[in-house]
Amino acid sequence: MFKEVAETNNITLSAKNLHMSQPNISLQIQNLEYEYGARFFDRTNKGVTLTKEGEIFYERIRTILDILASFREEISALAKDQRRLIYISTTLTIGEYLLPKIMAYLHKTHPDVDFKVKIANTESIVQAVSEKKMHIGLIEGTAPQYKDLKVENFWDDELVVVIPRFHPWSVRKSITLAELSNEPLVTREEGSGTRKVMEMAFKERGFDLNQLKVTMELESIQAIKEVVSAGLGITVISSLTVSSECDREMFKTLKIQDALVYRPFSILTNAQTIQTKDEHSLIKLLQDHELLTNILRKDYNELEEHESKLSLNHPAVCSLAGQGQGQGQEQWQGH
């Protein structure tokens, strides 16, 4: 009750949210203040605000309630003999091209863990983690500043020029920004994280974006790859999206000599939320750059061979409702 009033700054609204009467809440708050011998709220005609004592009490209360919620989840899972779950909200590139291999690897050391993955944009993920609706968020690029939001970089993703193998540039390892402007360019839609990072990097190097010959704007990385493979243009996308053996046979990746473009991948958690043991294991893996590099270098089949013939058809490797593709598509849809 105290937490609700502290967050709404309004007893009437709190009463409505809690389906209680306003006088009852006011009385309970008074009893609480009397018990601790301190005034927790300053009251005005516009509502209530926390005093210094109230702010201290609020922070402690949030921690206590989080611990109780964690206990409740663990006990409930044991009582119902449920499999353990890790809930993750992630942006598109990470969800399609990075998570499948990570979950496949984790299944070997944590075979009793299932994953529930939700693909969303950065803004939605930040809000979900801030409001404790999600314990872990994985995003591309920078994150907005929110109270209690902990942001930790775990990977630097390189954007590269991707061309079909039959393109005249396929014998080269890099091109210049000026050369890029001479080719039809297929890009992500306006507002996408990949496109924002590309445009920002080009602007910082004094390149006029109007020189780019953008012929198509597509919302799907797979659609962009299909268009490029057909010879209808070139693109600038994450190197992760063309890292499979199949992609390496179809495409050639080039660096931009005068504009190497990197963007951070970040882990989002709430400083006031206590991670479960399994969530902590996932975060620890993401923080281990050497291990993560080795995992990402392997295709699904290589993981099976080198990780004791790991079975990717196990329910622990869940789906993104058809979001996966290439070699991992069948496994990515399994749960």
Side-chain angles (χ1 to χ4, degrees), residues 78-302:
L78 288 173
K80 297 178 181 179
D81 194 27
Q82 296 176 340
R83 294 179 60 84
R84 285 132 55 192
L85 285 172
I86 297 180
Y87 291 88
I88 310 170
S89 189
T90 176
T91 46
L92 185 61
T93 299
I94 297 175
E96 285 191 338
Y97 296 97
L98 190 149
L99 265 184
K101 291 183 178 181
I102 291 175
M103 292 193 297
Y105 178 85
L106 273 177
H107 170 55
K108 180 183 177 183
T109 54
H110 298 74
D112 295 328
V113 176
D114 285 337
F115 297 86
K116 294 290 186 180
V117 181
K118 179 179 180 181
I119 296 292
N121 58 37
T122 296
E123 183 178 348
S124 298
I125 294 172
V126 168
Q127 185 173 354
V129 174
S130 297
E131 296 177 355
K132 302 181 183 179
K133 295 178 180 177
M134 278 284 179
H135 284 191
I136 299 176
L138 302 178
I139 67 165
E140 308 151 31
T142 57
Q145 295 297 316
Y146 271 70
K147 182 182 179 182
D148 297 327
L149 186 66
K150 183 179 178 182
V151 182
E152 182 179 4
N153 172 240
F154 71 94
W155 189 262
D156 288 320
D157 179 43
E158 183 179 10
L159 299 187
V160 294
V161 177
V162 177
I163 60 175
R165 277 287 177 182
F166 53 79
H167 193 281
W169 289 349
S170 62
V171 296
R172 301 175 58 178
K173 294 183 178 180
S174 63
I175 62 166
T176 65
L177 268 177
E179 289 177 302
L180 184 64
S181 63
N182 296 325
E183 292 286 316
L185 187 67
V186 184
T187 72
R188 288 288 304 275
E189 74 284 4
E190 287 277 0
S192 76
T194 300
R195 182 157 175 172
K196 283 181 180 179
V197 171
M198 178 190 73
E199 291 178 345
M200 187 179 301
F202 290 176
K203 282 183 179 179
E204 290 174 353
R205 290 155 179 81
F207 182 79
D208 184 0
L209 296 176
N210 293 323
Q211 295 181 41
L212 294 174
K213 298 179 181 178
V214 178
T215 57
M216 294 189 196
E217 298 179 346
L218 302 172
E219 296 183 0
S220 163
I221 293 292
Q222 184 61 26
I224 290 176
K225 289 163 65 176
E226 294 287 348
V227 169
V228 171
S229 67
L232 301 180
I234 65 175
T235 189
V236 178
I237 53 177
S238 165
S239 59
L240 284 175
T241 64
V242 285
S243 60
S244 71
E245 182 179 348
C246 178
D247 285 330
R248 289 194 294 268
E249 292 176 357
M250 295 178 60
F251 303 106
K252 177 71 182 291
T253 62
L254 306 173
K255 293 182 180 293
I256 306 174
Q257 296 171 12
D258 40 358
L260 295 178
V261 184
Y262 290 90
R263 60 176 174 177
F265 284 175
S266 298
I267 308 167
L268 303 187
T269 55
N270 191 307
Q272 301 298 327
T273 298
I274 299 175
Q275 272 75 45
T276 66
K277 181 174 64 175
D278 297 317
E279 290 169 342
H280 181 71
S281 295
L282 171 61
I283 293 173
K284 187 176 180 181
L285 184 154
L286 292 171
Q287 293 169 337
D288 189 334
H289 191 270
E290 182 178 355
L291 175 59
L292 188 56
T293 299
N294 290 333
I295 292 172
L296 296 182
R297 282 176 179 169
K298 298 177 182 179
D299 288 327
Y300 286 98
N301 292 335
E302 291 175 322

